[in-house]
Amino acid sequence: MHRIVWTMARIMAVFGGFVLLALVLLTCVSILGRMLNGLLNGDFLQTVAPRFSDWALAFGVGPILGHVEIVEAGVAFAIFAFLPLCQLSGVHAKVSLVTDRLSCPVRRWLIAGIDTIFAATLILIAWRLSEGLVEKREFSETSFMLQFPIWWAYAASLVAAITAVIAGLYIATVRIAEAVTGKDRLVTDQGPVG
């Protein structure tokens, strides 16, 4: 089970990474297009090289239409795609000012409780995301500029959220087992996770 959950989390994180990389490139191209459009419409190039400026503008040099909508949808997916791996590797933000002073059994139960609450929260988020997907699809809601169905973004994010739920439930189960037995089960190169 451990290997299956880790493989799913890694695959999802790779997809999230590719989407994030594509969004960064899309944003850079759109910004570059906006800058070039400003230069081509500027007084200097309109005076010095009006034919070239008009040709480039007619060619379509400018910002990418609807890139903000694509970025919104893609970033939502990427966030959900990274959650499973973050949960499995225990790299979420932690404040351990007080907890480092607690005894090991108390810390284990505290971590088990926190990871159980986190798994429940992931279930709640996935459930509400699925409800949103059904609603967006039912009403055929589309984005403003590109007119793509919004439920597509919800569906992609839901797949990643379900993977996060699986990882969260797995971690919560392991953490409870660690608290009950007093033995670390999740160990990385840096030592026990948590």
Side-chain angles (χ1 to χ4, degrees):
M1 180 69 170
H2 181 75
R3 185 173 294 162
I4 293 169
V5 175
W6 270 92
T7 302
M8 283 181 4
R10 285 185 178 127
I11 289 170
M12 193 57 64
V14 168
F15 280 137
F18 281 132
V19 167
L20 207 54
L21 179 63
L23 294 175
V24 167
L25 293 174
L26 177 75
T27 302
C28 289
V29 169
S30 186
I31 290 169
L32 183 63
R34 181 177 291 124
M35 286 175 42
L36 286 174
N37 186 284
L39 287 173
L40 293 170
N41 278 312
D43 291 338
F44 177 73
L45 279 180
Q46 285 294 328
T47 305
V48 174
R51 284 188 178 180
F52 173 75
S53 292
D54 293 341
W55 172 81
L57 289 169
F59 188 67
V61 173
I64 296 173
L65 178 69
H67 88 277
V68 172
E69 294 173 353
I70 296 169
V71 169
E72 287 174 348
V75 166
F77 168 77
I79 289 168
F80 283 111
F82 294 130
L83 272 176
L85 191 59
C86 288
Q87 184 63 8
L88 287 172
S89 57
V91 295
H92 287 297
K94 296 177 184 173
V95 180
S96 56
L97 233 60
V98 176
T99 58
D100 284 347
R101 296 186 181 132
L102 298 174
S103 67
C104 193
V106 172
R107 260 197 331 257
R108 278 195 177 101
W109 279 107
L110 182 63
I111 290 170
I114 290 168
D115 283 335
T116 302
I117 291 168
F118 193 73
T121 303
L122 288 171
I123 291 169
L124 177 66
I125 290 169
W127 169 57
R128 295 309 302 159
L129 197 54
S130 69
E131 293 289 320
L133 181 142
V134 169
E135 183 180 307
K136 300 297 180 192
R137 188 161 188 223
E138 183 179 312
F139 292 110
S140 300
E141 205 170 317
T142 59
S143 67
F144 181 71
M145 297 291 287
L146 297 177
Q147 297 295 306
F148 72 83
I150 292 178
W151 71 266
W152 292 354
Y154 275 72
S157 295
L158 182 59
V159 169
I162 289 171
T163 307
V165 166
I166 293 168
L169 288 172
Y170 173 73
I171 290 296
T173 304
V174 170
R175 294 298 187 207
I176 291 169
E178 286 179 342
V180 169
T181 62
K183 295 180 183 177
D184 292 322
R185 295 176 185 263
L186 292 177
V187 180
T188 64
D189 295 338
Q190 290 83 26
V193 177

